[in-house]
Amino acid sequence: MNDSPFPIPDAARPRHIAIIMDGNGRWAKARHRPRSLGHRAGARAANLCIDACLDAGIPALTLFAFSRENWQRPDEEVGALMQLFLRALDREVDELNRRGVRLRFIGERDAFSPDIRERMARGEALTLRNTRLHLTIAADYSGRWDLVQAARTLARQVAGGSLSPEAIDEARLGAALALSDLPEPDLFIRSGGDMRISNFLLWQVAYCELYFTDTLWPDFDATELRRALDAFAQRERRFGRTSEQLAMEASP
Ligand code: FPP
């Protein structure tokens, strides 16, 4: 247990939560408002969620903000999202830094405008030494892209003679992926009612507990996070073993 305003026993606390923040568009549509308004409300919910993770002592949070497939959305929506990212970076980075958050981005950066890329780099540099919460924003990211870039990294090493094909194992491939320096996500949350992974962290969720909620992302708050954490605390994580084996290991 810790003395946070959001106490949870240490054993029941995920070391890393990954979230697909889905439902912004439907939230806006239900209010007869443009989708961009839903994304703005979604950014506020993301802030609440970061606060709740800080309160709960969660060490790592990864948010899927923009997939590689999202570039196919209407120009107007993509433009609004880019404006939102720019404003969020301008407004939030100093505050995140003040709260001890380390900010990082995973994904292909080249397609973002220079002003967004510059602010991403500034945010990462400013918060580099913070350790209270590792916040990763996946932007122009997809799980398959991640696997491809890892395969390229290893292929280059093989071609350069520093790695033999036989030496490639799960650890070596895992180390070439994004987030390799963090514990694998324990809890994967998707809001918005759909039950799919949508090309998010494909490799990293191998043993992750999946939690789906119908709540649309703009309505996701500390209470919703608490529900997900409560559900996580009820799960038996066997990692391929049996319940009996786990019970034997737990008994002194
Ligand atoms: C999916 O909802 C959400 C997105 C594609 C964008 C996510 C972006 C944010 C939550 C705001 C920015 C976040 C940060 C961290 C600055 P959807 O549009 O697919 O919703 P729908 O399924 O209801 O249409």
Side-chain angles (χ1 to χ4, degrees):
M1 210 66 104
N2 62 7
D3 57 0
S4 80
F6 203 160
I8 14 177
D10 289 340
R13 182 184 300 111
R15 290 171 308 162
H16 187 171
I17 300 178
I19 306 186
I20 295 188
M21 308 179 286
D22 197 19
N24 296 345
R26 279 165 286 161
W27 186 92
K29 193 172 175 194
R31 287 158 180 77
H32 309 286
R33 304 301 302 274
R35 294 178 62 84
S36 55
L37 191 97
H39 293 313
R40 286 220 306 270
R44 284 196 294 278
N47 262 330
L48 286 181
C49 185
I50 293 165
D51 279 341
C53 284
L54 284 165
D55 286 347
I58 304 294
L61 172 67
T62 298
L63 299 175
F64 204 6
F66 196 79
S67 73
R68 290 182 66 74
E69 293 76 21
N70 285 152
W71 292 112
Q72 298 165 43
R73 291 197 173 194
D75 289 350
E76 191 188 335
E77 182 171 348
V78 172
L81 275 166
M82 293 305 131
Q83 281 301 317
L84 184 61
F85 293 151
L86 198 59
R87 276 207 310 270
L89 283 161
D90 276 340
R91 226 181 19 226
E92 309 296 344
V93 165
D94 289 321
E95 179 59 18
L96 290 173
N97 186 42
R98 200 186 58 73
R99 287 188 282 170
V101 176
R102 179 176 176 190
L103 176 64
R104 259 195 316 187
F105 297 88
I106 56 170
E108 186 67 74
R109 290 193 199 189
D110 292 355
F112 290 109
S113 64
D115 45 2
I116 290 183
R117 291 206 306 267
E118 181 266 313
R119 284 163 177 81
M120 285 174 164
R122 175 186 172 266
E124 288 180 330
L126 183 72
T127 62
L128 186 64
R129 290 185 211 295
N130 294 339
T131 54
R132 200 168 154 219
L133 171 68
H134 287 257
L135 172 64
T136 305
I137 307 292
D140 200 5
Y141 174 88
S142 81
R144 288 183 179 174
W145 167 85
D146 200 1
L147 284 159
V148 167
Q149 64 84 24
R152 278 203 199 118
T153 301
L154 299 186
R156 269 187 227 109
Q157 291 169 8
V158 170
S162 63
L163 180 68
S164 79
E166 291 70 31
I168 297 175
D169 56 11
E170 290 187 14
R172 194 70 83 146
L173 181 55
L177 290 163
L179 303 182
S180 61
D181 58 333
L182 293 176
E184 285 185 356
D186 303 298
L187 174 60
F188 175 105
I189 298 173
R190 181 176 186 139
S191 63
D194 287 330
M195 294 191 198
R196 48 177 176 262
I197 307 288
S198 293
N199 209 356
F200 195 20
L201 304 161
L202 297 179
W203 174 279
Q204 297 88 338
V205 299
Y207 278 103
C208 200
E209 296 300 323
L210 307 180
Y211 177 87
F212 299 99
T213 170
D214 288 337
T215 300
L216 301 175
W217 178 251
D219 293 326
F220 195 96
D221 57 12
T223 306
E224 293 289 337
L225 182 72
R226 175 98 236 175
R227 282 196 191 113
L229 291 171
D230 287 345
F232 177 80
Q234 300 304 315
R235 306 277 176 98
E236 182 186 56
R237 308 193 73 202
R238 293 192 294 279
F239 298 99
R241 288 174 296 165
T242 66
S243 299
E244 291 71 25
Q245 285 175 306
L246 296 181
M248 292 257 285
E249 279 165 26
S251 62

